Protein backbone atom coordinates (compact mmCIF):
# COMPACT_ATOMS: atom_id res chain seq x y z
CA UNK A 1 0.00 0.00 0.00
CA UNK A 2 1.37 3.41 -0.88
CA UNK A 3 1.27 6.23 1.61
CA UNK A 4 2.81 9.60 2.31
CA UNK A 5 4.97 11.21 -0.36
CA UNK A 6 4.35 8.58 -3.06
CA UNK A 7 0.60 8.80 -2.60
CA UNK A 8 0.79 12.58 -2.86
CA UNK A 9 2.78 12.29 -6.11
CA UNK A 10 0.20 9.98 -7.67
CA UNK A 11 -2.64 12.24 -6.57
CA UNK A 12 -0.81 15.18 -8.13
CA UNK A 13 -0.38 13.31 -11.45
CA UNK A 14 -4.08 12.46 -11.37
CA UNK A 15 -4.99 16.09 -10.70
CA UNK A 16 -2.72 17.25 -13.54
CA UNK A 17 -4.53 15.05 -16.04
CA UNK A 18 -7.94 15.84 -14.58
CA UNK A 19 -7.37 19.60 -14.76
CA UNK A 20 -5.85 19.15 -18.21
CA UNK A 21 -9.18 17.93 -19.53
CA UNK A 22 -9.16 14.13 -19.07
CA UNK A 23 -12.14 13.58 -16.81
CA UNK A 24 -12.81 9.88 -17.42
CA UNK A 25 -10.75 7.91 -14.86
CA UNK A 26 -10.49 4.96 -17.24
CA UNK A 27 -8.86 7.18 -19.85
CA UNK A 28 -6.50 8.61 -17.22
CA UNK A 29 -5.36 5.12 -16.26
CA UNK A 30 -5.14 4.04 -19.88
CA UNK A 31 -2.86 6.97 -20.80
CA UNK A 32 -0.72 6.42 -17.71
CA UNK A 33 -0.57 2.73 -18.64
CA UNK A 34 0.95 3.61 -22.01
CA UNK A 35 3.49 5.97 -20.46
CA UNK A 36 4.50 3.39 -17.86
CA UNK A 37 4.91 0.82 -20.64
CA UNK A 38 7.09 3.20 -22.64
CA UNK A 39 9.16 3.85 -19.52
CA UNK A 40 9.40 0.10 -18.91
CA UNK A 41 10.70 -0.48 -22.46
CA UNK A 42 13.52 1.98 -21.83
CA UNK A 43 14.35 0.24 -18.53
CA UNK A 44 14.51 -3.14 -20.29
CA UNK A 45 16.73 -1.72 -23.03
CA UNK A 46 19.02 -0.19 -20.41
CA UNK A 47 19.31 -3.57 -18.68
CA UNK A 48 20.30 -5.16 -21.97
CA UNK A 49 22.92 -2.46 -22.52
CA UNK A 50 24.40 -3.02 -19.07
CA UNK A 51 24.47 -6.78 -19.65
CA UNK A 52 26.20 -6.28 -23.00
CA UNK A 53 28.79 -3.96 -21.43
CA UNK A 54 29.35 -6.41 -18.59
CA UNK A 55 29.82 -9.43 -20.83
CA UNK A 56 31.49 -7.42 -23.60
CA UNK A 57 29.16 -9.04 -26.11
CA UNK A 58 26.91 -7.40 -28.70
CA UNK A 59 23.56 -6.12 -27.52
CA UNK A 60 21.04 -8.99 -27.82
CA UNK A 61 17.61 -8.27 -29.25
CA UNK A 62 17.67 -4.50 -28.67
CA UNK A 63 14.27 -2.90 -28.24
CA UNK A 64 15.39 0.37 -29.81
CA UNK A 65 17.68 0.64 -32.84
CA UNK A 66 20.23 3.43 -32.96
CA UNK A 67 17.89 5.35 -35.23
CA UNK A 68 15.15 5.05 -32.61
CA UNK A 69 17.14 6.42 -29.70
CA UNK A 70 14.96 9.53 -29.58
CA UNK A 71 11.96 7.30 -28.78
CA UNK A 72 13.43 6.22 -25.45
CA UNK A 73 11.92 7.65 -22.30
CA UNK A 74 15.30 8.77 -21.04
CA UNK A 75 15.75 10.82 -24.19
CA UNK A 76 12.41 12.44 -24.87
CA UNK A 77 11.91 13.40 -21.22
CA UNK A 78 14.66 15.99 -21.74
CA UNK A 79 12.92 17.59 -24.75
CA UNK A 80 10.92 20.80 -24.55
CA UNK A 81 7.16 20.17 -24.18
CA UNK A 82 6.20 20.84 -27.81
CA UNK A 83 8.92 18.60 -29.24
CA UNK A 84 8.19 15.91 -26.64
CA UNK A 85 4.48 15.98 -27.48
CA UNK A 86 5.14 15.63 -31.22
CA UNK A 87 7.69 12.87 -30.63
CA UNK A 88 5.42 10.80 -28.39
CA UNK A 89 2.35 11.33 -30.56
CA UNK A 90 3.94 10.86 -33.99
CA UNK A 91 6.78 8.44 -33.30
CA UNK A 92 6.62 6.68 -29.94
CA UNK A 93 2.98 5.59 -30.15
CA UNK A 94 3.27 4.28 -33.71
CA UNK A 95 6.43 2.51 -32.54
CA UNK A 96 4.77 0.65 -29.64
CA UNK A 97 1.98 -0.45 -31.96
CA UNK A 98 4.51 -2.21 -34.18
CA UNK A 99 6.33 -3.96 -31.35
CA UNK A 100 6.44 -7.71 -31.72
CA UNK A 101 6.45 -7.55 -35.50
CA UNK A 102 10.23 -7.62 -35.69
CA UNK A 103 12.28 -10.56 -34.57
CA UNK A 104 14.83 -8.20 -33.08
CA UNK A 105 12.53 -7.04 -30.33
CA UNK A 106 10.77 -10.36 -29.88
CA UNK A 107 12.10 -11.16 -26.45
CA UNK A 108 10.83 -8.01 -24.83
CA UNK A 109 7.63 -7.60 -26.69
CA UNK A 110 6.06 -10.86 -27.82
CA UNK A 111 3.84 -10.95 -24.81
CA UNK A 112 0.24 -10.39 -23.90
CA UNK A 113 0.80 -6.78 -23.03
CA UNK A 114 2.31 -5.77 -26.36
CA UNK A 115 -0.58 -7.44 -28.18
CA UNK A 116 -3.06 -5.22 -26.37
CA UNK A 117 -0.91 -2.16 -27.06
CA UNK A 118 -1.56 -2.47 -30.77
CA UNK A 119 -4.79 -0.52 -30.30
CA UNK A 120 -3.25 2.19 -28.13
CA UNK A 121 -4.56 5.70 -28.78
CA UNK A 122 -2.66 8.79 -27.71
CA UNK A 123 -5.15 11.24 -26.17
CA UNK A 124 -2.98 13.51 -24.04
CA UNK A 125 -4.64 16.92 -24.42
CA UNK A 126 -1.61 19.22 -24.62
CA UNK A 127 2.22 19.41 -24.54
CA UNK A 128 2.02 21.04 -21.09
CA UNK A 129 0.05 18.16 -19.57
CA UNK A 130 2.26 15.48 -21.14
CA UNK A 131 5.46 17.19 -20.05
CA UNK A 132 4.13 17.66 -16.55
CA UNK A 133 3.05 14.02 -16.22
CA UNK A 134 6.33 12.68 -17.66
CA UNK A 135 8.31 14.79 -15.18
CA UNK A 136 6.21 13.55 -12.27
CA UNK A 137 6.34 9.88 -13.30
CA UNK A 138 10.08 10.15 -13.78
CA UNK A 139 10.51 11.43 -10.23
CA UNK A 140 9.03 8.21 -8.83
CA UNK A 141 11.53 5.46 -8.16
CA UNK A 142 9.87 2.33 -9.58
CA UNK A 143 12.84 -0.01 -9.48
CA UNK A 144 11.00 -2.03 -6.85
CA UNK A 145 8.32 -4.26 -8.38
CA UNK A 146 6.18 -3.83 -5.28
CA UNK A 147 6.17 -0.06 -5.79
CA UNK A 148 4.99 -0.47 -9.37
CA UNK A 149 2.23 -2.82 -8.31
CA UNK A 150 1.10 -0.69 -5.40
CA UNK A 151 1.13 2.41 -7.59
CA UNK A 152 -1.06 0.72 -10.14
CA UNK A 153 -3.43 -0.71 -7.55
CA UNK A 154 -3.83 2.77 -6.08
CA UNK A 155 -4.71 4.18 -9.48
CA UNK A 156 -7.20 1.38 -10.10
CA UNK A 157 -8.75 2.18 -6.78
CA UNK A 158 -9.62 5.56 -8.19
CA UNK A 159 -11.86 3.83 -10.72
CA UNK A 160 -13.78 2.44 -7.80
CA UNK A 161 -13.92 5.88 -6.21
CA UNK A 162 -15.17 7.46 -9.36
CA UNK A 163 -17.48 4.62 -10.41
CA UNK A 164 -17.57 5.75 -14.02
CA UNK A 165 -19.39 3.58 -16.55
CA UNK A 166 -20.14 0.97 -13.93
CA UNK A 167 -16.45 0.01 -13.94
CA UNK A 168 -16.12 -0.71 -10.25
CA UNK A 169 -14.06 -3.53 -8.90
CA UNK A 170 -14.46 -6.27 -6.38
CA UNK A 171 -13.18 -4.83 -3.09
CA UNK A 172 -9.53 -5.75 -2.72
CA UNK A 173 -9.95 -7.12 0.80
CA UNK A 174 -12.67 -9.51 -0.42
CA UNK A 175 -10.41 -10.66 -3.27
CA UNK A 176 -7.59 -11.25 -0.79
CA UNK A 177 -9.89 -13.26 1.47
CA UNK A 178 -10.91 -15.52 -1.44
CA UNK A 179 -7.29 -16.01 -2.49
CA UNK A 180 -6.17 -16.74 1.08
CA UNK A 181 -8.96 -19.30 1.46
CA UNK A 182 -8.07 -21.11 -1.77
CA UNK A 183 -4.29 -20.85 -1.16
CA UNK A 184 -2.97 -21.13 -4.76
CA UNK A 185 0.29 -23.00 -5.40
CA UNK A 186 2.85 -22.93 -8.25
CA UNK A 187 1.21 -26.08 -9.63
CA UNK A 188 -2.09 -24.25 -10.21
CA UNK A 189 -3.41 -22.93 -13.51
CA UNK A 190 -5.52 -19.98 -12.33
CA UNK A 191 -8.31 -18.52 -14.45
CA UNK A 192 -10.71 -15.59 -14.19
CA UNK A 193 -13.10 -15.80 -17.17
CA UNK A 194 -14.33 -12.22 -16.55
CA UNK A 195 -11.04 -10.72 -15.41
CA UNK A 196 -11.58 -6.95 -15.82
CA UNK A 197 -8.48 -5.30 -14.33
CA UNK A 198 -7.11 -8.73 -13.30
CA UNK A 199 -7.57 -8.07 -9.59
CA UNK A 200 -8.00 -11.77 -8.72
CA UNK A 201 -4.97 -12.80 -10.77
CA UNK A 202 -2.81 -10.08 -9.22
CA UNK A 203 -3.85 -11.12 -5.71
CA UNK A 204 -3.08 -14.76 -6.55
CA UNK A 205 0.35 -13.70 -7.85
CA UNK A 206 1.01 -11.74 -4.65
CA UNK A 207 -0.02 -14.73 -2.54
CA UNK A 208 2.27 -17.09 -4.45
CA UNK A 209 5.21 -14.70 -4.25
CA UNK A 210 4.68 -14.39 -0.52
CA UNK A 211 4.28 -18.14 0.14
CA UNK A 212 6.09 -19.96 -2.69
CA UNK A 213 8.80 -17.56 -3.84
CA UNK A 214 11.63 -20.08 -3.60
CA UNK A 215 9.77 -22.65 -5.65
CA UNK A 216 8.68 -20.10 -8.26
CA UNK A 217 12.19 -18.83 -8.89
CA UNK A 218 14.01 -22.14 -8.36
CA UNK A 219 15.20 -22.28 -11.97
CA UNK A 220 14.44 -20.93 -15.44
CA UNK A 221 11.78 -23.57 -16.09
CA UNK A 222 9.84 -22.84 -12.88
CA UNK A 223 10.00 -19.09 -13.50
CA UNK A 224 8.79 -19.59 -17.08
CA UNK A 225 5.88 -21.66 -15.82
CA UNK A 226 4.98 -18.95 -13.31
CA UNK A 227 5.01 -16.01 -15.74
CA UNK A 228 3.57 -17.79 -18.77
CA UNK A 229 1.54 -20.83 -17.73
CA UNK A 230 -0.09 -19.94 -14.42
CA UNK A 231 -2.42 -16.99 -14.99
CA UNK A 232 -5.31 -16.85 -17.47
CA UNK A 233 -7.84 -14.05 -17.85
CA UNK A 234 -10.56 -13.29 -20.38
CA UNK A 235 -12.67 -10.22 -21.03
CA UNK A 236 -14.39 -8.58 -23.98
CA UNK A 237 -13.44 -5.02 -23.07
CA UNK A 238 -10.16 -4.07 -24.74
CA UNK A 239 -9.52 -1.23 -22.31
CA UNK A 240 -9.81 -3.63 -19.40
CA UNK A 241 -7.52 -6.11 -21.14
CA UNK A 242 -4.84 -3.42 -21.54
CA UNK A 243 -5.18 -2.32 -17.92
CA UNK A 244 -5.31 -5.91 -16.66
CA UNK A 245 -2.19 -7.03 -18.52
CA UNK A 246 -0.34 -3.90 -17.34
CA UNK A 247 -1.49 -4.65 -13.80
CA UNK A 248 0.03 -8.13 -14.07
CA UNK A 249 3.24 -6.83 -15.66
CA UNK A 250 3.75 -4.39 -12.81
CA UNK A 251 3.25 -7.22 -10.32
CA UNK A 252 6.08 -9.26 -11.85
CA UNK A 253 4.09 -11.47 -14.23
CA UNK A 254 5.46 -10.59 -17.66
CA UNK A 255 3.38 -12.76 -19.92
CA UNK A 256 0.05 -13.95 -18.53
CA UNK A 257 -2.53 -15.33 -20.95
CA UNK A 258 -4.93 -12.38 -20.85
CA UNK A 259 -6.96 -12.12 -24.02
CA UNK A 260 -10.14 -10.97 -25.68
CA UNK A 261 -12.86 -13.54 -25.26
CA UNK A 262 -16.58 -13.60 -24.62
CA UNK A 263 -16.53 -16.48 -22.17
CA UNK A 264 -20.22 -17.34 -22.52
CA UNK A 265 -20.35 -17.20 -26.31
CA UNK A 266 -20.18 -20.16 -28.66
CA UNK A 267 -16.57 -20.98 -29.49
CA UNK A 268 -15.33 -19.97 -32.91
CA UNK A 269 -13.89 -22.43 -35.41
CA UNK A 270 -10.36 -21.29 -34.63
CA UNK A 271 -10.76 -21.43 -30.85
CA UNK A 272 -9.58 -24.53 -29.07
CA UNK A 273 -11.55 -26.44 -26.49
CA UNK A 274 -10.57 -25.15 -23.05
CA UNK A 275 -12.68 -27.61 -21.08
CA UNK A 276 -11.00 -29.04 -17.98
CA UNK A 277 -7.97 -26.76 -18.41
CA UNK A 278 -7.69 -24.90 -15.12
CA UNK A 279 -7.17 -26.03 -11.53
CA UNK A 280 -8.40 -22.86 -9.80
CA UNK A 281 -11.06 -20.33 -10.78
CA UNK A 282 -11.37 -17.02 -8.96
CA UNK A 283 -14.10 -14.73 -10.25
CA UNK A 284 -16.78 -12.17 -9.66
CA UNK A 285 -18.62 -12.43 -12.99
CA UNK A 286 -21.23 -9.89 -14.09
CA UNK A 287 -24.54 -11.11 -12.77
CA UNK A 288 -26.99 -8.73 -14.29
CA UNK A 289 -28.88 -9.39 -17.44
CA UNK A 290 -29.83 -12.21 -19.74
CA UNK A 291 -28.40 -13.53 -22.97
CA UNK A 292 -29.97 -14.82 -26.15
CA UNK A 293 -29.97 -18.57 -26.56
CA UNK A 294 -28.56 -18.08 -30.05
CA UNK A 295 -25.43 -16.33 -28.84
CA UNK A 296 -24.75 -18.55 -25.84
CA UNK A 297 -22.40 -21.51 -25.96
CA UNK A 298 -24.39 -24.66 -26.71
CA UNK A 299 -22.47 -26.84 -24.28
CA UNK A 300 -23.35 -24.47 -21.43
CA UNK A 301 -27.02 -24.61 -22.40
CA UNK A 302 -26.83 -28.39 -22.29
CA UNK A 303 -25.59 -28.12 -18.70
CA UNK A 304 -28.25 -25.64 -17.63
CA UNK A 305 -31.11 -24.30 -19.74
CA UNK A 306 -31.19 -20.62 -18.86
CA UNK A 307 -30.51 -17.13 -20.17
CA UNK A 308 -29.29 -15.81 -16.82
CA UNK A 309 -25.61 -14.87 -16.91
CA UNK A 310 -24.93 -15.75 -13.28
CA UNK A 311 -26.08 -19.34 -13.81
CA UNK A 312 -24.30 -19.67 -17.15
CA UNK A 313 -21.05 -18.50 -15.55
CA UNK A 314 -21.27 -21.21 -12.89
CA UNK A 315 -21.83 -23.79 -15.62
CA UNK A 316 -18.80 -22.31 -17.40
CA UNK A 317 -16.66 -22.66 -14.25
CA UNK A 318 -17.58 -26.34 -14.02
CA UNK A 319 -16.67 -26.80 -17.67
CA UNK A 320 -13.33 -25.03 -17.36
CA UNK A 321 -12.18 -26.76 -14.19
CA UNK A 322 -10.03 -29.86 -14.21
CA UNK A 323 -11.29 -32.76 -12.15
CA UNK A 324 -10.10 -31.92 -8.67
CA UNK A 325 -10.02 -28.21 -9.54
CA UNK A 326 -11.54 -25.73 -7.12
CA UNK A 327 -13.44 -22.47 -7.43
CA UNK A 328 -14.15 -19.43 -5.28
CA UNK A 329 -16.73 -17.22 -6.97
CA UNK A 330 -19.04 -14.39 -5.96
CA UNK A 331 -22.71 -14.94 -6.75
CA UNK A 332 -25.88 -12.96 -6.04
CA UNK A 333 -28.01 -14.40 -3.28
CA UNK A 334 -30.68 -15.36 -5.81
CA UNK A 335 -28.43 -18.15 -7.09
CA UNK A 336 -28.63 -19.74 -3.64
CA UNK A 337 -32.40 -19.88 -3.33
CA UNK A 338 -33.91 -19.10 -6.77
CA UNK A 339 -36.92 -21.31 -7.49
CA UNK A 340 -36.61 -21.74 -11.27
CA UNK A 341 -35.79 -25.17 -12.66
CA UNK A 342 -32.39 -23.86 -13.80
CA UNK A 343 -31.53 -22.57 -10.32
CA UNK A 344 -32.48 -25.85 -8.68
CA UNK A 345 -30.76 -27.99 -11.29
CA UNK A 346 -27.51 -26.08 -10.97
CA UNK A 347 -27.48 -26.22 -7.16
CA UNK A 348 -28.27 -29.96 -7.24
CA UNK A 349 -25.47 -30.48 -9.75
CA UNK A 350 -22.90 -28.79 -7.50
CA UNK A 351 -24.07 -30.61 -4.37
CA UNK A 352 -24.63 -34.10 -5.81
CA UNK A 353 -22.15 -34.40 -8.70
CA UNK A 354 -19.35 -32.30 -7.25
CA UNK A 355 -18.24 -31.14 -3.80
CA UNK A 356 -19.72 -27.98 -2.36
CA UNK A 357 -17.16 -26.90 0.23
CA UNK A 358 -18.58 -23.73 1.72
CA UNK A 359 -20.64 -20.57 1.44
CA UNK A 360 -19.76 -17.20 2.94
CA UNK A 361 -22.81 -14.94 3.08
CA UNK A 362 -21.77 -11.29 2.75
CA UNK A 363 -23.63 -8.18 3.97
CA UNK A 364 -25.41 -6.18 1.29
CA UNK A 365 -23.17 -3.13 1.80
CA UNK A 366 -19.97 -4.78 0.55
CA UNK A 367 -20.40 -3.40 -2.99
CA UNK A 368 -21.75 0.00 -1.99
CA UNK A 369 -22.00 2.72 -3.15
CA UNK A 370 -22.43 1.09 -6.56
CA UNK A 371 -24.70 -1.81 -5.74
CA UNK A 372 -26.65 -2.84 -2.69
CA UNK A 373 -27.31 -6.41 -3.81
CA UNK A 374 -26.75 -9.23 -1.33
CA UNK A 375 -24.01 -11.61 -2.40
CA UNK A 376 -22.17 -14.70 -1.23
CA UNK A 377 -18.91 -16.44 -1.98
CA UNK A 378 -19.34 -19.99 -3.25
CA UNK A 379 -16.50 -22.50 -2.76
CA UNK A 380 -16.68 -25.80 -4.60
CA UNK A 381 -14.49 -28.55 -6.03
CA UNK A 382 -15.14 -30.30 -9.32
CA UNK A 383 -15.13 -34.05 -8.73
CA UNK A 384 -17.62 -35.51 -11.27
CA UNK A 385 -18.50 -38.10 -8.62
CA UNK A 386 -19.97 -36.12 -5.75
CA UNK A 387 -18.27 -35.81 -2.40
CA UNK A 388 -20.40 -33.24 -0.60
CA UNK A 389 -20.84 -34.42 2.96
CA UNK A 390 -21.34 -31.31 5.04
CA UNK A 391 -21.38 -27.73 3.78
CA UNK A 392 -19.62 -25.03 5.79
CA UNK A 393 -21.60 -21.76 6.16
CA UNK A 394 -20.35 -18.43 7.52
CA UNK A 395 -22.53 -15.40 8.16
CA UNK A 396 -20.24 -12.41 7.52
CA UNK A 397 -21.66 -9.36 9.28
CA UNK A 398 -18.78 -6.89 8.93
CA UNK A 399 -15.92 -6.57 6.44
CA UNK A 400 -13.87 -3.84 8.09
CA UNK A 401 -15.72 -0.94 6.44
CA UNK A 402 -18.99 0.82 7.15
CA UNK A 403 -21.80 -0.74 5.15
CA UNK A 404 -23.27 2.57 4.00
CA UNK A 405 -22.39 4.53 0.86
CA UNK A 406 -19.36 6.11 2.55
CA UNK A 407 -17.58 2.78 3.24
CA UNK A 408 -15.37 4.32 5.90
CA UNK A 409 -12.65 2.01 7.28
CA UNK A 410 -13.61 0.21 10.50
CA UNK A 411 -10.65 -2.09 11.10
CA UNK A 412 -11.93 -3.13 14.51
CA UNK A 413 -15.12 -4.45 12.90
CA UNK A 414 -14.06 -7.19 10.52
CA UNK A 415 -15.01 -10.86 10.33
CA UNK A 416 -12.39 -11.59 7.67
CA UNK A 417 -9.60 -12.92 9.94
CA UNK A 418 -12.17 -15.08 11.75
CA UNK A 419 -13.53 -16.41 8.44
CA UNK A 420 -10.06 -17.46 7.29
CA UNK A 421 -9.23 -19.09 10.61
CA UNK A 422 -12.49 -21.03 10.82
CA UNK A 423 -12.23 -22.06 7.14
CA UNK A 424 -8.86 -23.65 7.84
CA UNK A 425 -10.40 -25.51 10.79
CA UNK A 426 -13.67 -26.47 9.09
CA UNK A 427 -12.87 -30.18 9.19
CA UNK A 428 -11.91 -30.06 12.87
CA UNK A 429 -13.89 -30.83 15.98
CA UNK A 430 -14.48 -27.20 16.97
CA UNK A 431 -16.32 -26.32 13.76
CA UNK A 432 -18.32 -29.55 13.79
CA UNK A 433 -19.70 -28.71 17.22
CA UNK A 434 -20.76 -25.15 16.54
CA UNK A 435 -24.43 -24.33 16.95
CA UNK A 436 -26.63 -22.88 14.23
CA UNK A 437 -26.74 -19.61 16.19
CA UNK A 438 -22.99 -19.14 15.70
CA UNK A 439 -21.42 -17.21 12.82
CA UNK A 440 -20.22 -20.46 11.22
CA UNK A 441 -21.70 -23.95 11.23
CA UNK A 442 -21.92 -27.12 9.16
CA UNK A 443 -25.06 -28.41 7.42
CA UNK A 444 -25.34 -32.07 6.31
CA UNK A 445 -25.96 -32.72 2.62
CA UNK A 446 -29.14 -34.67 3.40
CA UNK A 447 -30.67 -31.61 5.05
CA UNK A 448 -29.79 -29.44 2.06
CA UNK A 449 -31.33 -31.99 -0.32
CA UNK A 450 -34.46 -32.13 1.82
CA UNK A 451 -34.76 -28.34 1.45
CA UNK A 452 -34.78 -28.58 -2.36
CA UNK A 453 -31.08 -27.67 -2.43
CA UNK A 454 -31.73 -24.24 -0.96
CA UNK A 455 -28.31 -22.82 -0.07
CA UNK A 456 -29.43 -19.61 1.60
CA UNK A 457 -27.86 -19.29 5.04
CA UNK A 458 -31.16 -18.02 6.44
CA UNK A 459 -32.68 -21.43 5.74
CA UNK A 460 -30.34 -23.09 8.25
CA UNK A 461 -29.21 -20.38 10.67
CA UNK A 462 -31.10 -20.23 13.95
CA UNK A 463 -31.85 -16.77 15.29
CA UNK A 464 -31.57 -16.31 19.02
CA UNK A 465 -34.46 -14.17 20.26
CA UNK A 466 -33.83 -12.18 23.40
CA UNK A 467 -36.71 -11.46 25.74
CA UNK A 468 -37.42 -7.74 25.99
CA UNK A 469 -39.59 -6.39 28.80
CA UNK A 470 -41.67 -3.28 28.15
CA UNK A 471 -43.56 -1.08 30.62
CA UNK A 472 -47.28 -1.59 30.87
CA UNK A 473 -49.38 0.62 28.52
CA UNK A 474 -50.81 2.48 31.53
CA UNK A 475 -47.30 3.44 32.68
CA UNK A 476 -46.33 4.62 29.19
CA UNK A 477 -49.52 6.74 28.92
CA UNK A 478 -48.83 8.33 32.31
CA UNK A 479 -45.32 9.16 31.12
CA UNK A 480 -46.69 10.76 27.94
CA UNK A 481 -49.21 12.79 29.95
CA UNK A 482 -46.41 14.10 32.15
CA UNK A 483 -44.37 15.10 29.09
CA UNK A 484 -47.40 16.88 27.62
CA UNK A 485 -47.84 18.78 30.88
CA UNK A 486 -44.18 19.91 30.86
CA UNK A 487 -44.46 21.04 27.22
CA UNK A 488 -47.58 23.06 28.01
CA UNK A 489 -45.86 24.74 30.95
CA UNK A 490 -42.87 25.62 28.84
CA UNK A 491 -45.09 27.04 26.07
CA UNK A 492 -46.92 29.30 28.56
CA UNK A 493 -43.61 30.48 30.01
CA UNK A 494 -42.45 31.48 26.52
CA UNK A 495 -45.74 33.29 25.83
CA UNK A 496 -45.24 35.27 29.08
CA UNK A 497 -41.93 36.57 27.78
CA UNK A 498 -43.50 38.06 24.62
Amino acid sequence: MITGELKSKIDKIWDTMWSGGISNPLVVIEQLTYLLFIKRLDELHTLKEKQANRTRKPLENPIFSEEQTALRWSRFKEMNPDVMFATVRDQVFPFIKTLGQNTADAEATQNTYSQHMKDAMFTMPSPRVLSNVVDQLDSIDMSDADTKGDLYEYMLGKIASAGQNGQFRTPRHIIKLMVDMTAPTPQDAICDPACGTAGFLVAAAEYMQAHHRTEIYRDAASRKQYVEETFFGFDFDNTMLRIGSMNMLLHGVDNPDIRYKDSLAERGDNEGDDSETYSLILANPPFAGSLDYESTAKDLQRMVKTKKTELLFIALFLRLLQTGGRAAVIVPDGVLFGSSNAHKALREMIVEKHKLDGIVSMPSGVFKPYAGVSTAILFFTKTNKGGTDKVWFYDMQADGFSLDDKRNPQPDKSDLPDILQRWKERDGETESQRKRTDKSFLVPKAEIAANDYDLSINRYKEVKHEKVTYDAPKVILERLAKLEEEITKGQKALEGLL
Side-chain angles (χ1 to χ4, degrees):
M1 176 180 291
I2 64 172
T3 55
E5 184 182 2
L6 181 55
K7 179 175 179 295
S8 299
K9 286 183 176 179
I10 301 303
D11 287 340
K12 192 175 178 184
I13 292 172
W14 195 275
D15 291 342
T16 299
M17 298 185 72
W18 191 275
S19 59
I22 304 179
S23 57
N24 186 332
L26 269 180
V27 177
V28 173
I29 290 185
E30 199 172 26
Q31 292 301 303
L32 289 176
T33 295
Y34 300 150
L35 292 175
L36 288 169
F37 179 59
I38 293 165
K39 190 169 185 281
R40 173 66 175 164
L41 288 178
D42 192 26
E43 291 169 353
L44 288 172
H45 190 87
T46 302
L47 283 175
K48 287 173 180 287
E49 288 178 328
K50 288 180 178 177
Q51 185 178 21
N53 291 334
R54 191 170 58 251
T55 59
R56 297 182 179 179
K57 292 182 178 179
L59 191 62
E60 287 188 26
N61 298 326
I63 296 172
F64 301 93
S65 66
E66 290 190 8
E67 294 75 23
Q68 294 169 326
T69 299
L71 310 187
R72 298 180 61 175
W73 176 279
S74 54
R75 303 298 189 275
F76 70 69
K77 74 173 185 179
E78 306 294 346
M79 299 173 180
N80 74 55
D82 290 332
V83 177
M84 179 196 296
F85 188 83
T87 301
V88 173
R89 180 191 60 195
D90 301 333
Q91 298 182 58
V92 178
F93 260 68
F95 167 70
I96 64 174
K97 289 183 179 183
T98 63
L99 286 173
Q101 297 177 8
N102 302 314
T103 55
D105 54 27
E107 182 181 335
T109 59
Q110 283 184 348
N111 56 33
T112 301
Y113 186 63
S114 59
Q115 291 174 24
H116 300 314
M117 276 296 162
K118 291 176 182 174
D119 299 323
M121 296 286 290
F122 178 71
T123 58
M124 279 289 184
S126 68
R128 180 188 60 79
V129 173
L130 175 65
S131 175
N132 202 336
V133 171
V134 167
D135 284 346
Q136 293 181 65
L137 281 178
D138 196 62
S139 70
I140 298 174
D141 180 7
M142 289 190 280
S143 56
D144 184 349
D146 288 341
T147 301
K148 293 175 186 172
D150 289 346
L151 179 152
Y152 210 68
E153 278 296 308
Y154 180 67
M155 292 198 301
L156 291 176
K158 287 179 175 289
I159 296 179
S161 301
Q164 293 286 325
N165 305 322
Q167 304 282 7
F168 54 88
R169 303 177 308 146
T170 310
R172 186 171 169 79
H173 57 289
I174 299 298
I175 291 177
K176 185 176 184 306
L177 173 70
M178 294 166 66
V179 170
D180 287 347
M181 292 174 74
T182 51
T185 72
Q187 287 72 46
D188 274 318
I190 306 167
C191 178
D192 181 352
C195 67
T197 60
F200 281 104
L201 300 180
V202 164
E206 289 178 334
Y207 180 93
M208 291 170 66
Q209 291 189 28
H211 293 82
H212 303 285
R213 190 174 187 84
T214 302
E215 189 174 352
I216 290 170
Y217 298 109
R218 183 181 58 237
D219 51 38
S222 62
R223 187 185 184 285
K224 184 173 186 295
Q225 178 176 339
Y226 174 70
V227 299
E228 296 184 9
E229 300 167 14
T230 301
F231 303 99
F232 303 83
F234 313 129
D235 209 298
F236 51 64
D237 183 324
N238 281 318
T239 300
M240 284 297 162
L241 289 171
R242 277 192 287 275
I243 292 174
S245 54
M246 181 70 189
N247 201 5
M248 292 296 288
L249 180 73
L250 291 178
H251 282 84
V253 182
D254 299 340
N255 197 15
D257 186 354
I258 292 180
R259 54 189 149 94
Y260 186 95
K261 184 176 181 179
D262 184 347
S263 294
L264 298 181
E266 182 72 5
R267 285 192 296 272
D269 295 336
N270 297 326
E271 292 184 79
D273 184 359
D274 54 0
S275 301
E276 303 203 339
T277 299
Y278 311 104
S279 63
L280 175 60
I281 287 184
L282 297 162
N284 176 21
F287 39 70
S290 300
L291 300 178
D292 295 330
Y293 285 125
E294 295 300 320
S295 61
T296 307
K298 300 295 182 291
D299 54 353
L300 298 181
Q301 290 184 35
R302 284 192 290 272
M303 293 175 70
V304 55
K305 190 69 173 177
T306 182
K307 295 180 180 179
K308 290 188 173 298
T309 54
E310 62 267 34
L311 301 183
L312 289 167
F313 263 109
I314 293 177
L316 173 71
F317 301 152
L318 287 170
R319 189 189 80 190
L320 295 177
L321 279 174
Q322 304 166 357
T323 301
R326 58 210 192 280
V329 297
I330 295 176
V331 297
D333 269 2
V335 170
L336 306 179
F337 58 77
S339 58
S340 74
N341 290 335
H343 281 88
K344 292 178 183 177
L346 198 61
R347 293 197 299 265
E348 181 177 357
M349 186 189 305
I350 295 175
V351 172
E352 297 292 352
K353 293 185 178 179
H354 304 284
K355 183 173 184 292
L356 178 58
D357 300 301
I359 294 171
V360 174
S361 174
M362 295 194 287
S364 58
V366 165
F367 286 93
K368 280 191 175 181
Y370 313 107
V373 63
S374 293
T375 55
I377 309 171
L378 205 61
F379 297 86
F380 59 89
T381 305
K382 180 176 178 177
T383 65
N384 289 320
K385 58 180 182 181
T388 305
D389 180 20
K390 294 180 178 178
V391 178
W392 183 80
F393 283 82
Y394 191 104
D395 185 15
M396 183 199 297
Q397 296 169 358
D399 69 336
F401 294 84
S402 63
L403 296 173
D404 55 14
D405 287 351
K406 295 179 180 176
R407 296 289 280 156
N408 292 320
Q410 296 179 338
D412 56 329
K413 295 182 179 178
S414 175
D415 289 330
L416 272 55
D418 188 49
I419 292 172
L420 182 58
Q421 186 63 36
R422 294 193 190 197
W423 169 257
K424 291 177 179 176
E425 299 170 352
R426 66 188 184 283
D427 295 326
E429 187 176 351
T430 303
E431 283 301 295
S432 67
Q433 294 181 347
R434 290 193 188 279
K435 297 179 179 178
R436 297 286 177 93
T437 53
D438 208 337
K439 284 186 176 179
S440 67
F441 52 84
L442 295 167
V443 178
K445 185 184 80 171
E447 185 177 345
I448 292 173
N451 280 294
D452 214 8
Y453 298 98
D454 190 327
L455 298 176
S456 169
I457 194 170
N458 294 329
R459 170 71 69 174
Y460 307 102
K461 187 175 176 65
E462 294 177 4
V463 179
K464 188 185 295 182
H465 296 284
E466 294 183 1
K467 186 177 180 180
V468 180
T469 304
Y470 297 99
D471 292 333
K474 184 179 179 182
V475 175
I476 296 174
L477 287 172
E478 288 175 353
R479 198 181 299 145
L480 285 173
K482 188 175 180 181
L483 286 172
E484 286 285 348
E485 185 179 340
E486 290 177 359
I487 291 172
T488 303
K489 281 184 180 177
Q491 186 176 358
K492 287 184 177 179
L494 286 172
E495 289 174 352
L497 295 174
L498 296 176

